[in-house]
Amino acid sequence: MQVTGNNIDKRFKEVSIQLSLGGHSFSEAGANLRPAPRGDTAPPAPTLGQHPAVALDTHRVALIPEALFRAEDAEACLRIDGLAPAEGERTVLCDPVDGIAAVAAFDGAALDAVRRAAPLARFVSPLQLLAADTAPSAVQISVQGPRVYLTVRGEALRYAHVLPFDGDADLVYYLTRLGELFPIKDYTIYIYAEAPTCKTLSRYWRNVKRV
């Protein structure tokens, strides 16, 4: 079954905890992971379910086809991408999402805090949620604080990366450069961000949809 931008939004709503490098941001189960306005903080969740989904908000993540992934190779996958765990970090295996596995390097203390609260918590990367979308000829963008998750899909997934984000100009630059590799001017651009950011992109690309 084809997945659309709206279906991706449902995936984000299933995530009950978001962990950022600057600490953990707890949100109620079913909450959307769209970034809160600057200065706002997410309220703590009153409870953590038996199997909460925990989104690891970090650029230190590698995606691997589930069919090719072996747990014993997890840290090697990070090292190949130059993302080996730093001091105090641990390698985390994320649950596969529609055939896409992920491994991340993340702060050990934050992980311990989650395990104490919910020993059976499941981990996932926002990049997996975007990459799992099967809508053809699409760009998926999710702005998460100082990072942007970005994927490009033609008939198959062509690009998936987490990049620094300091303002709309960064997105314009990234999409311009990606436009040199892929015909994204003809693609639909789905974006999880505030309305002004969508308006900025609409000045340069014709088919921008906020989801």
Side-chain angles (χ1 to χ4, degrees):
M1 182 178 71
Q2 188 178 75
V3 183
T4 67
N6 287 335
N7 295 125
I8 293 178
D9 195 38
K10 292 177 182 177
R11 292 179 186 273
F12 274 85
K13 289 178 181 178
E14 293 172 356
V15 176
S16 50
I17 308 172
Q18 182 178 6
L19 286 186
S20 299
L21 289 178
H24 9 308
S25 172
F26 291 87
S27 55
E28 293 184 18
N32 197 332
L33 279 186
R34 287 177 185 160
R38 294 185 183 278
D40 289 359
T41 56
T47 59
L48 300 182
Q50 185 179 9
H51 297 85
V54 181
L56 298 177
D57 183 14
T58 175
H59 71 283
R60 297 167 65 77
V61 59
L63 301 187
I64 309 100
E66 182 183 5
L68 302 178
F69 179 68
R70 299 188 307 173
E72 58 266 31
D73 295 333
E75 187 168 326
C77 292
L78 290 173
R79 292 186 181 279
I80 289 172
D81 282 350
L83 302 172
E87 184 177 356
E89 292 184 335
R90 291 205 296 268
T91 300
V92 185
L93 275 62
C94 298
D95 277 18
V97 177
D98 291 352
I100 300 175
V103 58
F106 211 85
D107 179 73
L111 296 172
D112 288 341
V114 171
R115 287 303 188 196
R116 286 194 296 270
L120 300 179
R122 300 173 294 111
F123 295 101
V124 68
S125 167
L127 192 61
Q128 285 176 285
L129 305 183
L130 294 187
D133 183 81
T134 59
S137 303
V139 177
Q140 304 283 354
I141 301 170
S142 177
V143 176
Q144 302 283 333
R147 282 172 286 281
V148 58
Y149 293 80
L150 199 158
T151 67
V152 177
R153 180 179 287 274
E155 291 301 319
L157 182 66
R158 303 296 301 278
Y159 179 91
H161 212 76
V162 188
L163 300 165
F165 178 79
D166 192 41
D168 295 350
D170 288 336
L171 283 182
V172 173
Y173 173 77
Y174 296 147
L175 291 179
T176 299
R177 292 299 302 273
L178 286 172
E180 298 171 2
L181 302 174
F182 313 108
I184 64 173
K185 62 179 175 34
D186 299 321
Y187 288 7
T188 300
I189 298 176
Y190 297 100
I191 181 167
Y192 304 83
E194 301 303 323
T197 296
C198 299
K199 185 176 180 180
T200 296
L201 296 188
S202 295
R203 297 173 187 166
Y204 303 91
W205 293 273
R206 63 188 178 190
N207 200 3
V208 177
K209 295 184 178 182
R210 186 179 179 223
V211 287

